[in-house]
Amino acid sequence: MPRAVANIVAENPDAEISVVSPGAHADVSQAVRTGEADIGLVYEYAGLLPPLDVGLERTPLLSEEMVVLGRDQGPSGMRESIREFRNEPWVSGSRGSVRDSVLGSVCETAGFVPHVVHRNDDLDVIRGFVNQGLGIALVPILALGIDRTIRLYRLNEVAARRQVLLVSRTTDRNPLVDIAISAFRSAAKDFLDWTLTAFGVTFETPMLSVPPEVEPS
């Protein structure tokens, strides 16, 4: 987001650009629907997209893998399955949160129940717990951060994916909307290239994908 916004501001110095964080998916959609915002950035896990309000459209931005972050589980790199971490303590979101539900679901599919020892909904805090060796975590690629004392474990059997989408009004004629969508796409492509060498490990394929054609739906 910061890179996309910086590009929008640089190319449109006379425009009034403002970023706010209203909260959950429903709050973002509501802000766009009422005109409080022109465009919203939302996340959906496991490919589950709730219905949009009338008058809104979503533009797919990227699809990212969920990976495991740890500290003492060996060098960063590929692992076969999340089952390899079944005996580890986990750090997850609060009970009933989307992040906690995703972890429970993918572990259940893999045949085990994760032993969650710490819960927090702030990804920076979650990374901090991992950094201190207090547990491992399942996170989307965009949440990796730059802490190289943490290890990254990419799964051959991808446990889950997170979709990142932009939401806008179908009747919005603000020319900055299309400019913003283009800027976000460009920032996503830059990040895609970075994932090939994330955490000092070279991967054959990136850990996220960007739609070749982005069309509102």
Side-chain angles (χ1 to χ4, degrees), residues 32 50 80 85 87 91 94 97 114 128-129 131 149 172 176 186 188 198 208:
V32 175
E80 186 60 34
F85 302 97
N87 296 322
V91 184
S94 57
S97 66
F129 278 117
N131 172 277
T149 65
D172 197 335
L176 283 178
S186 177
L208 60 82

Side-chain angles (χ1 to χ4, degrees), residues 3 19 29 38 47 52 56 87 95 100 119 124 137 157 159 161 186 189 201 207:
R3 177 172 296 188
V19 177
S29 297
D38 292 301
L52 281 177
L56 295 184
N87 296 322
R95 293 186 183 277
D100 188 49
R119 297 181 181 277
D124 289 332
E157 294 180 10
R161 301 188 73 91
S186 177
K189 288 181 178 179
V201 180
M207 287 175 275

Side-chain angles (χ1 to χ4, degrees), residues 151-192:
R151 307 293 178 84
L152 159 68
Y153 307 109
R154 187 183 185 187
L155 306 174
N156 278 324
E157 294 180 10
V158 178
R161 301 188 73 91
R162 185 174 76 163
Q163 313 300 317
V164 183
L165 308 103
L166 297 173
V167 176
S168 59
R169 292 185 300 279
T170 56
T171 58
D172 197 335
R173 296 294 177 262
N174 186 338
L176 283 178
V177 170
D178 288 338
I179 292 174
I181 291 175
S182 178
F184 272 96
R185 285 203 71 196
S186 177
K189 288 181 178 179
D190 290 342
F191 195 76
L192 181 149

Side-chain angles (χ1 to χ4, degrees), residues 104-216:
S105 176
V106 298
C107 291
E108 180 181 9
T109 300
F112 71 98
V113 176
H115 175 49
V116 179
V117 293
H118 300 290
R119 297 181 181 277
N120 196 282
D121 291 323
D122 188 319
L123 284 167
D124 289 332
V125 174
I126 289 175
R127 284 198 308 271
F129 278 117
V130 174
N131 172 277
Q132 295 300 311
L134 298 172
I136 64 175
L138 182 69
V139 302
I141 293 301
L142 287 180
L144 286 182
I146 57 173
D147 186 348
R148 294 303 175 89
T149 65
I150 294 176
R151 307 293 178 84
L152 159 68
Y153 307 109
R154 187 183 185 187
L155 306 174
N156 278 324
E157 294 180 10
V158 178
R161 301 188 73 91
R162 185 174 76 163
Q163 313 300 317
V164 183
L165 308 103
L166 297 173
V167 176
S168 59
R169 292 185 300 279
T170 56
T171 58
D172 197 335
R173 296 294 177 262
N174 186 338
L176 283 178
V177 170
D178 288 338
I179 292 174
I181 291 175
S182 178
F184 272 96
R185 285 203 71 196
S186 177
K189 288 181 178 179
D190 290 342
F191 195 76
L192 181 149
D193 294 335
W194 176 82
T195 67
L196 288 169
T197 56
F199 280 49
V201 180
T202 300
F203 297 100
E204 294 182 358
T205 58
M207 287 175 275
L208 60 82
S209 58
V210 176
E213 297 290 338
V214 177
E215 296 292 343

Side-chain angles (χ1 to χ4, degrees), residues 38-65:
D38 292 301
I39 192 170
L41 187 67
V42 297
Y43 308 94
E44 298 297 345
Y45 288 83
L48 300 176
L49 302 178
L52 281 177
D53 293 339
V54 175
L56 295 184
E57 59 188 9
R58 57 168 70 97
T59 301
L61 185 60
L62 57 86
S63 173
E64 53 181 329
E65 291 180 19

